[in-house]
Amino acid sequence: MSEVSANRVLDTALIHVYRKRKSEMYNSDIWPLKLYWHQHRKNIRNLLLAGEYRLQEVVGFKGMDGKYYTRWSSRDAVVLKAMSLVFGELVGSQIKNCYHLKGMGGLKGAIKSVVAEIKGYTYVLKSDVADFYGSMDHGILLERCQKIIKDTRIINLFHQYMERLEVVNGQYYHINQGIPKGCPLSPLMGALILKSLDRIAKGECVYIKYMDDWLVLAKTRWQLRRIVKEMYRVMKELKFRLAMDKTYIGKIHKGFDFLGYRFGSQGVVGLAAKTIRNFLEKTARLYEQSATDHRISCYINKWCGWLDTVGY
């Protein structure tokens, strides 16, 4: 807890939250937090060290894209970010080939690893979890946290983060399953709960994971069968359900989609059909919303930059 509550960590966390919220209205709670930060920081630090910090209720809302989001208070967001800064180093030191973790290369690193490794392999297993964040079991997740963190004050904060109170349209809901999207802790929790999945690829197999998407390359049918059997065992153990529409088990040369790209035996052969469809739908939605030319061009340029990931 001394690391989480250190002034330098809390200051870094505040900068991160402020950059995210500095364009908000004058009545946002980020402004008094930023203006009187030294007073708030002292109070936050004392509560954390005493084990008495309490997370407030989370506001749930639906975004313009139709997806459901949650929003913590600015003060809680700073604390959760500070926890992720410290906790991320612990998780990163114990988990390999998880490309969404800091220092692993992100989406670009995952795609480039597939391109570099795919030649010489015959079979592939590609899958992910249906409703990954929303279906996490709190008991299993908390047990994983307790294995690497012994400070009961931090474990208590993790428990509050999981067993949270959400407010949606004035209605209060006690959440006893799943973790919130958009929180800096959530990707780390995702990597931690799937740690047992990382052991399914042994021997000459290649294993690559990004968030809840994973891919295993195998040379023989026997290796593939063993990996599939182990995958189903792990999913049952973690109380997860596979997204069958995103699962592919078979030969590489027949082609498969992974992280928005279409792969074949030689590597990237194009974009996944869903990627192109999502781009067209988002562009059309921006026009329907009377978005400015600048906003539309920024989105297109960002998307084109994503295509440059592997030089497509």
Side-chain angles (χ1 to χ4, degrees), residues 55-106:
L55 297 176
Q56 299 178 11
E57 65 272 11
V58 188
V59 178
F61 62 95
K62 184 177 289 187
M64 295 182 65
D65 55 3
K67 296 181 180 180
Y68 180 78
Y69 296 93
T70 54
R71 177 186 171 88
W72 300 87
S73 69
S74 293
R75 191 178 78 148
D76 288 348
V78 169
V79 171
L80 292 170
K81 180 60 181 179
M83 291 174 64
S84 71
L85 292 173
V86 176
F87 189 58
E89 297 180 3
L90 293 174
V91 174
S93 65
Q94 298 190 21
I95 298 178
K96 298 181 180 180
N97 298 329
C98 192
Y99 284 83
H100 72 270
L101 295 179
K102 184 178 180 180
M104 291 298 298

Side-chain angles (χ1 to χ4, degrees), residues 7-284:
N7 288 341
R8 59 177 180 80
V9 175
L10 291 175
D11 289 345
T12 302
L14 174 71
I15 292 172
H16 173 84
V17 174
Y18 175 70
R19 286 175 178 172
K20 293 279 187 178
R21 304 189 178 191
K22 64 181 180 180
S23 60
E24 294 184 358
M25 298 291 288
Y26 68 93
N27 57 348
S28 171
D29 62 352
I30 188 61
W31 302 118
L33 184 69
K34 181 71 167 57
L35 184 61
Y36 304 105
W37 171 239
H38 288 290
Q39 298 176 24
H40 286 290
R41 184 181 65 185
K42 182 179 180 180
N43 183 44
I44 291 172
R45 177 177 170 80
N46 290 337
L47 290 173
L48 288 173
L49 290 174
E52 298 177 355
Y53 190 91
R54 296 293 178 266
L55 297 176
Q56 299 178 11
E57 65 272 11
V58 188
V59 178
F61 62 95
K62 184 177 289 187
M64 295 182 65
D65 55 3
K67 296 181 180 180
Y68 180 78
Y69 296 93
T70 54
R71 177 186 171 88
W72 300 87
S73 69
S74 293
R75 191 178 78 148
D76 288 348
V78 169
V79 171
L80 292 170
K81 180 60 181 179
M83 291 174 64
S84 71
L85 292 173
V86 176
F87 189 58
E89 297 180 3
L90 293 174
V91 174
S93 65
Q94 298 190 21
I95 298 178
K96 298 181 180 180
N97 298 329
C98 192
Y99 284 83
H100 72 270
L101 295 179
K102 184 178 180 180
M104 291 298 298
L107 179 66
K108 291 183 179 181
I111 296 298
K112 290 179 179 178
S113 293
V114 178
V115 173
E117 299 284 356
I118 200 169
K119 295 179 181 178
Y121 289 87
T122 306
Y123 299 96
V124 62
L125 160 65
K126 188 267 306 188
S127 188
D128 69 0
V129 178
D131 189 22
F132 180 52
Y133 285 126
S135 62
M136 282 192 196
D137 183 273
H138 290 173
I140 296 175
L141 188 54
L142 199 60
E143 181 183 353
R144 298 294 170 91
C145 293
Q146 290 172 332
K147 287 182 178 180
I148 63 175
I149 297 177
K150 304 306 179 183
D151 193 321
T152 56
R153 295 169 296 181
I154 295 182
I155 295 299
N156 178 262
L157 286 174
F158 277 125
H159 187 262
Q160 293 183 53
Y161 153 82
M162 297 175 204
E163 296 272 344
R164 61 201 181 277
L165 190 66
E166 289 191 3
V167 184
V168 183
N169 296 326
Q171 298 293 320
Y172 288 77
Y173 301 91
H174 176 228
I175 308 300
N176 53 23
Q177 179 176 313
I179 60 176
K181 293 181 180 180
C183 177
L185 273 179
S186 296
L188 300 176
M189 292 295 184
L192 185 62
I193 200 170
L194 288 179
K195 183 180 178 181
S196 53
L197 185 69
D198 302 345
R199 295 191 290 267
I200 68 172
K202 300 177 182 178
E204 299 180 349
C205 299
V206 172
Y207 173 76
I208 295 170
K209 184 174 69 178
Y210 183 85
M211 301 297 282
D212 64 320
D213 292 87
W214 64 85
L215 176 144
V216 182
L217 303 175
K219 291 185 176 181
T220 67
R221 190 184 300 273
W222 179 85
Q223 288 177 336
L224 184 67
R225 288 177 176 174
R226 178 187 61 79
I227 291 168
V228 171
K229 182 179 179 180
E230 282 294 298
M231 178 185 70
Y232 278 108
R233 181 191 63 79
V234 171
M235 290 296 102
K236 182 178 180 180
E237 177 185 285
L238 298 177
K239 301 181 182 180
F240 279 143
R241 181 172 53 87
L242 288 178
M244 300 308 299
D245 59 325
K246 298 180 181 179
T247 299
Y248 175 75
I249 304 171
K251 292 188 175 181
I252 294 174
H253 74 82
K254 292 184 178 181
F256 63 93
D257 296 338
F258 184 63
L259 299 180
Y261 289 93
R262 184 72 179 173
F263 288 87
S265 56
Q266 298 302 312
V268 175
V269 297
L271 295 173
K274 184 178 180 180
T275 302
I276 299 174
R277 185 169 60 252
N278 288 344
F279 168 72
L280 296 176
E281 290 177 355
K282 178 64 180 294
T283 305

